[in-house]
Short mmCIF file of all heavy atoms in Angstrom, two decimals:
data_model
loop_
_atom_site.label_atom_id
_atom_site.label_comp_id
_atom_site.label_asym_id
_atom_site.label_seq_id
_atom_site.Cartn_x
_atom_site.Cartn_y
_atom_site.Cartn_z
N ARG A 3 2.11 4.83 0.93
CA ARG A 3 2.05 5.61 2.17
C ARG A 3 2.32 7.09 1.88
O ARG A 3 2.85 7.44 0.84
CB ARG A 3 3.06 5.08 3.18
CG ARG A 3 2.80 3.64 3.63
CD ARG A 3 3.99 3.10 4.38
NE ARG A 3 5.19 3.07 3.52
CZ ARG A 3 6.39 2.69 3.94
NH1 ARG A 3 6.58 2.36 5.21
NH2 ARG A 3 7.41 2.69 3.11
N THR A 14 10.02 15.73 -7.77
CA THR A 14 9.58 16.34 -9.02
C THR A 14 9.43 17.86 -8.93
O THR A 14 8.97 18.49 -9.89
CB THR A 14 8.23 15.73 -9.46
OG1 THR A 14 7.25 15.96 -8.43
CG2 THR A 14 8.36 14.23 -9.69
N TRP A 38 -15.56 22.68 -5.74
CA TRP A 38 -14.22 23.10 -6.16
C TRP A 38 -13.77 22.19 -7.29
O TRP A 38 -14.08 21.00 -7.31
CB TRP A 38 -13.22 22.97 -5.00
CG TRP A 38 -13.47 23.91 -3.86
CD1 TRP A 38 -14.52 23.87 -2.97
CD2 TRP A 38 -12.66 25.01 -3.46
NE1 TRP A 38 -14.41 24.89 -2.06
CE2 TRP A 38 -13.28 25.60 -2.33
CE3 TRP A 38 -11.46 25.55 -3.93
CZ2 TRP A 38 -12.73 26.72 -1.68
CZ3 TRP A 38 -10.92 26.66 -3.29
CH2 TRP A 38 -11.56 27.23 -2.18
N GLY A 43 -6.13 19.66 -16.24
CA GLY A 43 -5.91 19.99 -17.64
C GLY A 43 -4.87 21.08 -17.83
O GLY A 43 -4.36 21.27 -18.94
N ALA A 80 1.23 8.50 -23.01
CA ALA A 80 2.31 8.66 -23.99
C ALA A 80 2.97 10.02 -23.84
O ALA A 80 4.20 10.14 -23.80
CB ALA A 80 1.76 8.49 -25.40
N ILE A 96 7.72 5.16 -27.53
CA ILE A 96 6.30 5.02 -27.22
C ILE A 96 5.64 4.20 -28.34
O ILE A 96 5.72 4.59 -29.51
CB ILE A 96 5.59 6.38 -27.11
CG1 ILE A 96 6.38 7.33 -26.20
CG2 ILE A 96 4.17 6.18 -26.61
CD1 ILE A 96 6.47 6.92 -24.76
N LEU A 134 9.60 -5.13 -26.66
CA LEU A 134 10.74 -4.22 -26.78
C LEU A 134 11.50 -4.09 -25.46
O LEU A 134 12.72 -3.90 -25.45
CB LEU A 134 10.27 -2.85 -27.27
CG LEU A 134 9.75 -2.82 -28.71
CD1 LEU A 134 9.03 -1.51 -28.99
CD2 LEU A 134 10.91 -3.00 -29.69
N GLU A 149 4.09 1.40 -8.25
CA GLU A 149 4.04 2.17 -7.00
C GLU A 149 4.58 3.58 -7.16
O GLU A 149 4.07 4.52 -6.54
CB GLU A 149 4.79 1.41 -5.91
CG GLU A 149 4.06 0.13 -5.48
CD GLU A 149 4.74 -0.56 -4.33
OE1 GLU A 149 5.87 -0.13 -3.95
OE2 GLU A 149 4.18 -1.55 -3.81
N ILE A 152 1.89 5.59 -8.90
CA ILE A 152 0.81 5.91 -7.96
C ILE A 152 1.24 7.02 -7.01
O ILE A 152 0.46 7.95 -6.73
CB ILE A 152 0.40 4.65 -7.17
CG1 ILE A 152 -0.19 3.60 -8.12
CG2 ILE A 152 -0.60 4.99 -6.08
CD1 ILE A 152 -0.39 2.24 -7.49
N SER A 174 -13.12 11.46 -8.16
CA SER A 174 -12.07 11.31 -9.17
C SER A 174 -12.45 10.25 -10.18
O SER A 174 -13.07 9.24 -9.84
CB SER A 174 -10.75 10.90 -8.49
OG SER A 174 -9.77 10.54 -9.45
N LEU A 181 -4.51 7.13 -10.47
CA LEU A 181 -4.79 8.47 -9.95
C LEU A 181 -5.54 8.40 -8.63
O LEU A 181 -5.12 9.02 -7.63
CB LEU A 181 -5.58 9.28 -10.98
CG LEU A 181 -6.05 10.67 -10.54
CD1 LEU A 181 -4.87 11.56 -10.19
CD2 LEU A 181 -6.92 11.30 -11.62
N SER A 186 -6.32 8.93 -2.85
CA SER A 186 -6.93 8.39 -1.64
C SER A 186 -5.89 8.12 -0.55
O SER A 186 -6.18 8.30 0.64
CB SER A 186 -7.71 7.12 -1.96
OG SER A 186 -6.87 6.11 -2.50
N ARG A 193 -6.45 13.70 6.05
CA ARG A 193 -7.81 14.03 6.48
C ARG A 193 -8.68 12.78 6.33
O ARG A 193 -9.46 12.65 5.37
CB ARG A 193 -8.36 15.20 5.66
CG ARG A 193 -9.73 15.67 6.16
CD ARG A 193 -10.22 16.92 5.46
NE ARG A 193 -11.64 17.10 5.64
CZ ARG A 193 -12.21 17.57 6.75
NH1 ARG A 193 -11.46 17.92 7.80
NH2 ARG A 193 -13.54 17.70 6.82
N ILE A 198 -13.96 9.50 -0.39
CA ILE A 198 -13.43 9.45 -1.75
C ILE A 198 -14.36 8.61 -2.60
O ILE A 198 -14.71 7.48 -2.24
CB ILE A 198 -12.02 8.83 -1.80
CG1 ILE A 198 -11.09 9.47 -0.76
CG2 ILE A 198 -11.44 8.93 -3.22
CD1 ILE A 198 -10.72 10.88 -1.04
N GLU A 256 -22.59 7.70 -21.43
CA GLU A 256 -21.95 8.55 -22.43
C GLU A 256 -22.64 9.91 -22.53
O GLU A 256 -21.98 10.95 -22.63
CB GLU A 256 -21.97 7.85 -23.80
CG GLU A 256 -21.14 6.58 -23.85
CD GLU A 256 -19.66 6.85 -23.66
OE1 GLU A 256 -19.05 7.50 -24.52
OE2 GLU A 256 -19.12 6.41 -22.63
N GLU A 275 -11.58 16.71 -21.30
CA GLU A 275 -11.79 15.54 -22.13
C GLU A 275 -12.84 14.64 -21.47
O GLU A 275 -13.27 14.89 -20.34
CB GLU A 275 -10.49 14.79 -22.34
CG GLU A 275 -9.87 14.29 -21.05
CD GLU A 275 -8.47 13.75 -21.27
OE1 GLU A 275 -7.50 14.54 -21.22
OE2 GLU A 275 -8.35 12.54 -21.47
N LYS A 289 -25.29 11.12 -8.61
CA LYS A 289 -24.88 9.75 -8.31
C LYS A 289 -23.95 9.64 -7.11
O LYS A 289 -23.62 8.54 -6.68
CB LYS A 289 -24.25 9.12 -9.55
CG LYS A 289 -25.24 9.02 -10.70
CD LYS A 289 -24.70 8.28 -11.90
CE LYS A 289 -25.79 8.13 -12.95
NZ LYS A 289 -25.37 7.33 -14.11
N PHE A 324 -32.31 23.08 -27.71
CA PHE A 324 -33.13 23.86 -28.63
C PHE A 324 -32.57 25.27 -28.85
O PHE A 324 -33.29 26.26 -28.91
CB PHE A 324 -34.59 23.91 -28.17
CG PHE A 324 -35.33 22.67 -28.55
CD1 PHE A 324 -35.36 21.60 -27.70
CD2 PHE A 324 -35.93 22.58 -29.79
CE1 PHE A 324 -36.00 20.43 -28.07
CE2 PHE A 324 -36.58 21.42 -30.17
CZ PHE A 324 -36.61 20.34 -29.30
N LEU A 340 -39.94 30.61 -51.46
CA LEU A 340 -38.93 30.49 -50.40
C LEU A 340 -38.82 31.78 -49.62
O LEU A 340 -38.71 31.77 -48.38
CB LEU A 340 -37.57 30.13 -51.01
CG LEU A 340 -36.40 30.03 -50.03
CD1 LEU A 340 -36.67 28.98 -48.97
CD2 LEU A 340 -35.10 29.74 -50.77
N ILE A 346 -41.32 34.66 -42.64
CA ILE A 346 -41.93 34.25 -41.36
C ILE A 346 -40.85 33.87 -40.37
O ILE A 346 -40.92 34.23 -39.18
CB ILE A 346 -42.91 33.08 -41.61
CG1 ILE A 346 -44.05 33.53 -42.51
CG2 ILE A 346 -43.43 32.52 -40.29
CD1 ILE A 346 -44.95 32.40 -42.98
N GLY A 351 -37.52 35.94 -35.34
CA GLY A 351 -36.24 36.20 -34.70
C GLY A 351 -35.26 35.05 -34.79
O GLY A 351 -34.17 35.10 -34.22
N HIS A 358 -31.60 23.86 -47.55
CA HIS A 358 -31.42 22.79 -48.53
C HIS A 358 -32.76 22.50 -49.19
O HIS A 358 -33.76 22.24 -48.51
CB HIS A 358 -30.88 21.53 -47.87
CG HIS A 358 -30.80 20.36 -48.79
ND1 HIS A 358 -29.91 20.29 -49.83
CD2 HIS A 358 -31.53 19.20 -48.85
CE1 HIS A 358 -30.08 19.15 -50.48
NE2 HIS A 358 -31.05 18.47 -49.91
N LEU A 392 -46.01 29.36 -38.69
CA LEU A 392 -46.00 28.68 -39.98
C LEU A 392 -47.35 28.02 -40.26
O LEU A 392 -47.87 28.08 -41.38
CB LEU A 392 -44.87 27.65 -40.02
CG LEU A 392 -43.44 28.22 -40.10
CD1 LEU A 392 -42.42 27.13 -39.86
CD2 LEU A 392 -43.19 28.89 -41.46
N LEU A 407 -35.95 15.30 -27.11
CA LEU A 407 -34.55 15.60 -26.84
C LEU A 407 -34.38 16.41 -25.57
O LEU A 407 -33.32 16.42 -24.95
CB LEU A 407 -33.93 16.37 -28.02
CG LEU A 407 -33.66 15.56 -29.29
CD1 LEU A 407 -33.24 16.49 -30.40
CD2 LEU A 407 -32.62 14.50 -29.05
#
Side-chain angles (χ1 to χ4, degrees):
R3 297 168 298 177
T14 60
W38 294 69
I96 311 295
L134 292 167
E149 291 184 353
I152 296 169
S174 170
L181 175 61
S186 60
R193 185 174 162 78
I198 310 291
E256 294 296 294
E275 61 189 87
K289 298 186 175 184
F324 280 90
L340 177 60
I346 297 172
H358 175 69
L392 289 168
L407 287 173

